[in-house]
Amino acid sequence: MRHLPADLAAALRRARHARGWSLTDAAAATGVSRSMISDLERGVRVPSVALAEDLISGYELRGEVVGWLLDAATPYAGRSSPYRTGDTPADPARYGSPRPRKRPAVRPSNKIDRRG
C-alpha cells in the first residue's frame, strides 16, 4: 500500500485548518468522506485522480500543492476505476497507461453433477 508523503499530508491539514473547517465541514465542501480526509491527512492513504480533483476544487487549492497532489494521486483507483466498472477511460493520457487486468483463478468445482 502506498502512503501520501508527510509534507503533502500536512499541507492538506493546514489547508483545512486555514479555512477553520472540521473534518465534517471539509467532507461537505469536497464530497469526500470524513474518514478518507482523515486518512489522507495522516498520510495512510493516497487519493485517486478524481478524489484529488475533488479536494483541489473543494479546498480551492492553488500553487505547488495542486501539482504535488496530482503527482501523488493514483490513476485507476476507487469506485470509478475502469477495472471495477468495466469502462475504458475517456482520456488515457490523464490516467496513464492501463495495467493489465488479472484473470480470476479458476478453481475446480467440488460439486457433483447429479443431473441425469
Side-chain angles (χ1 to χ4, degrees):
M1 176 191 247
R2 291 181 36 199
H3 298 282
L4 201 61
D7 54 344
L8 181 52
L12 288 175
R13 182 168 292 199
R14 281 193 305 273
R16 179 173 61 85
H17 284 233
R19 287 159 182 73
W21 289 349
S22 66
L23 286 172
T24 304
D25 297 332
T30 61
V32 177
S33 72
R34 288 179 11 199
S35 62
M36 176 58 96
I37 293 171
S38 174
D39 287 349
L40 291 169
E41 289 180 355
R42 290 181 293 124
V44 296
R45 301 270 308 263
V46 176
S48 65
V49 171
L51 193 141
E53 290 172 344
D54 290 343
L55 291 171
I56 291 165
S57 67
Y59 282 22
E60 298 176 356
L61 296 175
R62 302 284 182 258
E64 62 186 11
V65 175
V66 172
W68 292 347
L69 191 55
L70 290 174
D71 286 344
T74 302
Y76 294 125
R79 292 185 191 139
S80 61
S81 168
Y83 296 105
R84 287 186 109 177
T85 63
D87 297 334
T88 55
D91 183 6
R94 175 179 168 204
Y95 296 102
S97 61
R99 290 175 247 161
R101 180 180 260 187
K102 289 186 177 181
R103 293 180 153 217
V106 177
R107 297 183 180 165
S109 175
N110 291 342
K111 295 180 181 178
I112 299 172
D113 187 8
R114 297 182 191 258
R115 292 178 287 172

